[in-house]
Amino acid sequence: MCSCEDSLEGMIPSEALKAFKAFINKDIGIACDFLMRHYRGEYWPRRSSTMPPLRRRRGGKTIKLPNPKNLTTPIGIVMRTRRSADDFTGEPISIEDLATILYLAVGITGWTWAYGYERYPLRAYPSAGALQPVEAYPVVNNVVGLESGLYRYDPFDHSLEVLKLGHFNQLLVDLALGQDHVGRAAVVVVLTVYYARTRWKYWKRSLRYVLLDAGSAMENFYLAAVGLGLGVRAVGAFYDNELCRFLGIDCVEEFPVILMLIGRGTTLH
Ligand SMILES: Cc1cc2nc3c(=O)[nH]c(=O)nc-3n(C[C@H](O)[C@H](O)[C@H](O)COP(=O)(O)O)c2cc1C
């Protein structure tokens, strides 16, 4: 008998075909649903053979960051007292504080083996498939030891890549729909996700995974800043295209997800 199963054989993996046949025997409706999900990539993602590179450089000059500080506040107290700062005083923070926060939020904190790499990094935030799509772009406004400007954190050598120097705090206020506390933070770290890296493996599930990864990194920023006695606030309201243009990213393969405001905080509660 020449059935549709014969033509499916060459098109879908044998486990899928076996499951499809089993469903046909039970319920043709379920079988059709299964097939549609399969072709939408929800069960067996179609992936290309090579993963986008883990280490990305934009070609800028790099500045080595100081070693991270040791935080001594007990984790339970940090978690219990974590709050968003209502505003920022505009006073500076130190480069050591910024280095500590970047390391504890998105830094490389361990190594393993995966994907054919000899040594494969692990990050401070958990990541689906260990694909680590979260990128951090500090926009420095008032950090002792650093010129104002846009940087990119390179976790591989714990350094900052200089993308453009200048005063961008008013631009960031405008990009964040006029929220003026944005301009008083000592530094605003723009978190983006490099969607292409997670999509390579997870296809349709990638969006939820990259956002979960970024959410974990966001919480790390909160905990590290609070542990250092600094103010911190997440800001999710911003103009996507204009922010992408400022960062020099395409908003498709890589797009911004949250701004992390850090500085000397003021609080009403
Ligand atoms: C995804 C997300 C987006 C947010 N966007 C903004 C924002 O655009 N502006 C702002 O001032 N705060 C923003 N916040 C901070 C929240 O308002 C704050 O977390 C909330 O009021 C709870 O207060 P708490 O963090 O002190 O517990 C955001 C927080 C999250 C998690």
Side-chain angles (χ1 to χ4, degrees), residues 1-267:
M1 184 184 75
C2 178
S3 71
C4 76
E5 292 174 43
D6 295 328
S7 50
L8 284 170
E9 196 109 47
M11 294 163 66
I12 64 179
S14 57
E15 320 91 88
L17 188 62
K18 231 184 281 162
F20 177 65
K21 284 176 179 169
F23 282 135
I24 282 192
N25 289 337
K26 273 201 228 137
D27 185 326
I28 188 68
I30 295 178
C32 288
D33 181 65
F34 174 87
L35 205 57
M36 282 188 57
R37 281 166 185 272
H38 171 73
Y39 281 109
R40 289 212 310 263
E42 286 177 20
Y43 290 146
W44 280 273
R46 283 156 265 184
R47 71 181 186 199
S48 65
S49 54
T50 47
M51 180 177 107
L54 258 192
R55 188 174 191 183
R56 301 168 74 219
R57 294 296 303 271
R58 299 265 298 266
K61 180 184 136 206
T62 56
I63 297 171
K64 186 92 183 98
L65 285 169
N67 288 338
K69 292 181 185 173
N70 232 346
L71 296 198
T72 49
T73 321
I75 183 74
I77 292 181
V78 174
M79 292 173 87
R80 200 145 30 87
T81 56
R82 181 216 63 79
R83 285 275 81 83
S84 298
D86 289 306
D87 207 338
F88 298 88
T89 63
E91 291 167 280
I93 65 165
S94 68
I95 190 172
E96 287 80 11
D97 282 344
L98 177 60
T100 305
I101 293 169
L102 287 168
Y103 176 75
L104 292 177
V106 289
I108 293 177
T109 48
W111 293 87
T112 184
W113 286 265
Y115 299 115
Y117 282 72
E118 265 180 33
R119 284 174 84 232
Y120 189 91
L122 292 172
R123 305 288 278 269
Y125 63 94
S127 171
L131 293 168
Q132 308 165 19
V134 182
E135 301 276 346
Y137 293 86
V139 186
V140 170
N141 176 26
N142 202 353
V143 175
V144 177
L146 269 180
E147 269 187 84
S148 299
L150 168 66
Y151 297 81
R152 183 184 157 270
Y153 179 59
D154 184 342
F156 282 84
D157 52 10
H158 187 54
S159 67
L160 289 180
E161 190 177 0
V162 186
L163 297 185
K164 45 188 156 186
L165 296 176
H167 296 278
F168 299 118
N169 48 333
Q170 186 52 49
L171 175 71
L172 282 183
V173 171
D174 296 342
L175 290 176
L177 281 61
Q179 300 186 69
D180 55 9
H181 49 298
V182 175
R184 288 185 285 273
V187 56
V188 175
V189 182
V190 184
L191 293 188
T192 71
V193 288
Y194 181 35
Y195 188 62
R197 186 166 318 113
T198 298
R199 194 193 49 219
W200 161 77
K201 182 169 182 190
Y202 290 115
W203 192 244
K204 289 275 176 178
R205 300 187 79 76
S206 306
L207 186 58
R208 78 177 76 169
Y209 288 170
V210 293
L211 296 177
L212 284 165
D213 284 13
S216 306
M218 178 190 81
E219 181 68 358
N220 284 348
F221 273 93
Y222 266 102
L223 298 180
V226 169
L228 287 166
L230 294 173
V232 52
R233 186 173 194 103
V235 162
F238 48 80
Y239 295 109
D240 285 345
N241 290 339
E242 288 75 3
L243 181 57
C244 286
R245 210 169 305 133
F246 171 58
L247 298 174
I249 61 176
D250 66 2
C251 257
V252 179
E253 294 293 283
E254 181 178 1
F255 54 86
V257 284
I258 198 86
L259 312 180
M260 298 307 302
L261 280 45
I262 299 160
R264 303 271 159 211
T266 61
T267 179

